[in-house]
Amino acid sequence: MTLHVPSQLFRDDRIDAACELIQAALRDRQRELTGVRPPASERQQTYSDWLEHLAGLRGGSLYYPYLGTGVGKGSLVELADGSVKYDMITGIGVHVFGHGHPELVCELVRAAVSGGVMQGNLQQNLDTLRLCEQLVALARESGAAVEHCFLSTSGATANENALKMLFQARFPANRLLAFSNGFAGRTLALGQVTDRPANREGLPTTLAVDYLPFFDRHEPDQSTRQCLASLHTLRDRYPRQHAGLMVELIQGEGGYYTAPRDFFVALFEEARRHDIPIFIDEIQSFGRTTRMFAFQHLMLDSYVDIVSIGKMSQVCATLFSERMKPRPGLISQTFTGATSAIHAALFVLDQFQQRGLLGPTGRIAEIHQRFERHFKRIERDLPGTIAGPWGVGGMLAMTVFDGSAERTRDFLAELFARGVIAFPAGRQPTRVRMLPPLLVIQDQEIDAVCEIMEAVLRSLA
Ligand SMILES: Cc1ncc(COP(=O)(O)O)c(C=O)c1O
């Protein structure tokens, strides 16, 4: 049953008036943010002390010396050392609306007055219903047989919930198929799925995972054959023991590697033949391709049994088909999402509908192409310094210099110092990745970011 919960659940002119005042105060403060700004020298010592203090409290230093003031304007973010930078990683894809979005601020005000800081299984408001309804409708848009939606506060929890559903549905199967170079999250179970020894160092083995080799664009046919051959071998070695096949259609932490539709179809058909359900992890790819889901972008709708989303959705979710439905008792949470995060999620979905971001000629495609044109130009002007971009749509990656971890780290540190925040992904080569704020980034900001990148490449070449 589709309910169509009304979009405006809380309306009062006084709240609208308060929002206008808050927006005016925000705009005044944002007027100070006109572009990249270096740190204020008089704040350096205090800022270093704060960073050191935080590192001590959290038991390890931060990747970047990043402590925000909470103020920003679109792609620009202000740090507590007084600097202003272009945020091209947005908390790894979270702040798709950039910083200080005036309309979002009003949504958060509405969330504040709507009661209940957190929502959960004994405390959900109508906005939870509205969000679940919208997510299921989006997932089903071109035919996926997804009927249910369970919200959660992190990508890892959404994935854990998915794994529990798979194992319960396929009991007594107790193994999982996953991909080399994949990332799934950092819980005890997901640490086994993530293909990085450092992420599970010292941890007990909680899950038996069998890895399939991913697609290699240099050897398309051979790598597809190899993947299928591995699947056959594993199926023969462990008959009926695989509860599911977990896959990122665009490997995120692994370095933005993807594969053509044919690769996935060949694999998924084979999995289907052996009644192995398919679980697609879209924590990073949700809302970054030409469609809301990468499985829609690749036209793989008919294969989806479970899909998880996170990051730019603000609230994470596990969406699943009827046959994956858990029995009572398997899944429950005190917190499924903060009320403000649920309002922000609805805001993001609404903006995607309104702004023409999706589609082969949508804004996301334009953003990708503009970055691509700059990268190609820099590659021509400064041969050997940059290659790429790879990835899809709003997931952009490139390699700088020899792609070594050290040189990439030096590049990123210098880029940060000059006012652009990006992040590494993958190993051998290590890539530089960007998840720009797709709802707000302007063409001239893309140009400014690429100009800074070029200057850094020149200085380090
Ligand atoms: C593909 C994928 N799955 C799962 C996760 C884990 O999400 P979270 O960090 O919100 O727990 C991530 C996070 O980077 C991810 O990229």
Side-chain angles (χ1 to χ4, degrees), residues 91-92 94 153-159 182-187 190 194 246-254 256 279 281-285 308-311 316 395 433 435:
I92 316 204
V94 178
T153 47
S154 75
T157 317
N159 281 354
F183 184 89
R186 293 172 185 274
T187 61
L190 295 166
T194 295
M246 181 171 179
V247 53
E248 291 167 275
L249 300 175
I250 307 163
Q251 293 193 322
E253 303 304 297
Y256 290 10
F279 162 27
D281 176 347
E282 297 226 25
I283 305 281
Q284 197 156 154
S285 59
S308 57
I309 60 162
K311 297 194 187 282
C316 303
M395 298 174 81
R433 70 172 140 162
L435 292 159

Side-chain angles (χ1 to χ4, degrees), residues 195-321:
D195 186 20
R196 283 188 195 166
N199 288 30
R200 61 176 97 95
E201 198 184 308
L203 303 184
T205 305
T206 49
L207 196 61
V209 183
D210 298 312
Y211 294 98
L212 301 170
F214 199 66
F215 180 77
D216 179 351
R217 72 190 166 96
H218 301 294
E219 308 273 5
D221 295 336
Q222 198 189 330
S223 61
T224 306
R225 276 198 301 275
Q226 269 170 0
C227 182
L228 283 172
S230 298
L231 180 59
H232 292 151
T233 307
L234 290 162
R235 176 209 59 199
D236 291 346
R237 187 174 296 149
Y238 304 111
R240 289 177 303 285
Q241 288 181 49
H242 290 111
L245 164 62
M246 181 171 179
V247 53
E248 291 167 275
L249 300 175
I250 307 163
Q251 293 193 322
E253 303 304 297
Y256 290 10
Y257 293 90
T258 187
R261 179 173 190 274
D262 290 354
F263 172 82
F264 292 118
V265 168
L267 185 69
F268 292 173
E269 283 289 335
E270 198 54 25
R272 271 283 151 84
R273 250 192 291 285
H274 299 284
D275 203 22
I276 300 173
I278 293 157
F279 162 27
I280 299 187
D281 176 347
E282 297 226 25
I283 305 281
Q284 197 156 154
S285 59
F286 181 66
R288 296 255 157 210
T289 64
T290 58
R291 301 283 307 272
M292 268 335 266
F293 291 87
F295 73 73
Q296 295 169 333
H297 170 79
L298 286 162
M299 294 184 293
L300 296 166
D301 305 69
S302 61
Y303 297 102
V304 181
D305 291 293
I306 305 189
V307 58
S308 57
I309 60 162
K311 297 194 187 282
M312 62 141 277
S313 58
Q314 311 304 305
V315 181
C316 303
T318 314
L319 297 146
F320 50 99
S321 64

Side-chain angles (χ1 to χ4, degrees), residues 63-104:
Y63 185 87
Y64 282 129
Y66 181 123
L67 271 177
T69 58
V71 177
K73 184 177 156 197
S75 304
L76 292 169
V77 61
E78 185 186 63
L79 303 192
D81 62 358
S83 68
V84 176
K85 300 183 194 297
Y86 285 114
D87 185 2
M88 291 298 114
I89 194 63
T90 57
I92 316 204
V94 178
H95 303 120
V96 67
F97 34 69
H99 299 269
H101 194 298
E103 289 166 53
L104 174 60

Side-chain angles (χ1 to χ4, degrees), residues 30-50:
Q30 285 178 329
R31 263 190 265 283
E32 297 162 26
L33 275 62
T34 51
V36 165
R37 192 167 71 197
S41 53
E42 70 278 9
R43 293 206 204 156
Q44 297 275 16
Q45 190 53 53
T46 316
Y47 193 66
S48 313
D49 293 346
W50 285 337

